Amino acid sequence: MINTNDLKKLKKYKHNESYSNYFKREVKKGNLIKVKRNYYAKPDDSIYKISSGIIYPSYISLFSALRYYNFTEQIPNIVQVVCTKQKKEIKFNHYKIKFIKVNPKWMFGIKREDNILIVTQEKLILDALKFQNEMGNFDEIIELIKKCDIKKDRIIEYLSFAKEKSLIKRAGYLLEKYKNIDIYQSFTHLLSKDKNYSKLNIFSRSKKINKKWRLFVE
């Protein structure tokens, strides 16, 4: 992504030329494409690179990350960007770039890959379980768990940092069921005295319970 603040870093930019004229010329020549006001990208930039470069800090996650990691065959036209600021949706080409605001403390579990700020696979599990309304279908979350290359120590670290009991319960149950990974002992200090039940799927009305994780399950 290139904006007006980046122009002074470009050797080919003529300082006696207005910003608007420079961008108009570069767009006309096919060197840049306009994403939004004052924001431009190179024609060969991927939608993931463009979307994660609009606002800082931010990263690609949720269903968009499922597609990035080839965990789903569906091709969404919405790119979901997790960030710390409220920002309106942007329409770009045939995509919608949607911004999901979170607390700054939630900005962890991010890596840079091919100049894209993308969620790690373990953090994607947390994001998917926390923002289930952005995932569309709970079956996609189950497929994510099944296909994900999960490092046990890393997901325990992430859940310990998040300190959300309902999230720990959901992740713990699914990891145990689909990956044979048991993380309960790492969270006994938080869960042993917890008498409340959480929903595994926030949209389900199931009354079936799992006593170990204190969850209403499918």
Side-chain angles (χ1 to χ4, degrees):
M1 289 291 292
I2 300 173
N3 59 38
T4 52
N5 293 326
D6 298 321
L7 283 186
K8 56 187 176 183
K9 301 175 185 177
L10 300 177
K11 293 181 179 179
K12 61 181 179 179
Y13 172 63
K14 301 175 183 178
H15 291 278
N16 61 346
E17 181 182 22
S18 71
Y19 293 155
S20 60
N21 284 343
Y22 171 81
F23 283 126
K24 286 179 182 178
R25 175 166 52 82
E26 292 300 304
V27 168
K28 188 175 182 179
K29 290 166 66 175
N31 295 329
L32 293 175
I33 52 176
K34 185 175 182 178
V35 178
K36 54 168 290 189
R37 183 181 179 186
N38 295 331
Y39 282 83
Y40 297 80
K42 295 179 180 179
D44 58 348
D45 285 345
S46 72
I47 187 60
Y48 298 109
K49 181 179 179 181
I50 291 169
S51 300
S52 67
I54 292 173
I55 186 171
Y56 183 86
S58 69
Y59 63 94
I60 303 297
S61 189
L62 301 163
F63 200 86
S64 302
L66 284 185
R67 181 59 190 167
Y68 178 87
Y69 285 120
N70 290 317
F71 291 157
T72 180
E73 294 181 356
Q74 295 185 49
I75 302 176
N77 64 350
I78 297 178
V79 181
Q80 294 151 307
V81 180
V82 176
C83 60
T84 60
K85 297 178 182 179
Q86 195 73 43
K87 195 168 184 63
K88 291 183 179 180
E89 183 178 279
I90 294 174
K91 292 182 179 180
F92 173 68
N93 287 349
H94 58 284
Y95 290 100
K96 293 180 182 178
I97 303 173
K98 183 177 181 180
F99 300 92
I100 299 152
K101 182 183 177 182
V102 298
N103 188 296
K105 292 182 179 180
W106 196 253
M107 301 298 290
F108 63 93
I110 309 164
K111 64 178 180 178
R112 184 179 290 275
E113 188 170 285
D114 297 326
N115 287 318
I116 298 166
L117 289 169
I118 186 82
V119 69
T120 62
Q121 293 189 24
E122 293 86 357
K123 177 64 184 314
L124 175 54
I125 292 172
L126 273 64
D127 282 0
L129 290 170
K130 184 178 177 70
F131 304 105
Q132 292 184 33
N133 59 313
E134 297 289 345
M135 293 297 293
N137 192 319
F138 197 81
D139 289 341
E140 295 288 355
I141 300 177
I142 293 174
E143 286 302 307
L144 163 63
I145 298 286
K146 289 179 179 179
K147 295 176 180 179
C148 210
D149 181 17
I150 298 170
K151 294 179 174 60
K152 181 178 178 180
D153 291 345
R154 181 180 289 178
I155 201 161
I156 288 174
E157 177 188 350
Y158 288 171
L159 287 166
S160 299
F161 185 79
K163 292 181 180 179
E164 295 187 17
K165 291 181 182 179
S166 61
L167 199 58
I168 294 169
K169 293 176 185 179
R170 292 169 187 150
Y173 172 81
L174 292 173
L175 290 171
E176 187 176 274
K177 182 174 181 178
Y178 294 107
K179 302 293 277 192
N180 199 28
I181 296 174
D182 191 345
I183 63 172
Y184 189 86
Q185 292 301 316
S186 298
F187 297 100
T188 51
H189 60 294
L190 287 176
L191 301 179
S192 59
K193 296 180 180 179
D194 182 20
K195 304 301 180 183
N196 298 316
Y197 278 78
S198 303
K199 285 185 174 184
L200 175 65
N201 179 349
I202 62 172
F203 299 107
S204 174
R205 295 183 178 181
S206 173
K207 296 300 181 183
K208 181 181 177 181
I209 64 172
N210 178 279
K211 291 184 177 180
K212 176 179 179 179
W213 291 104
R214 291 194 172 274
L215 279 173
F216 292 107
V217 298
E218 299 295 299

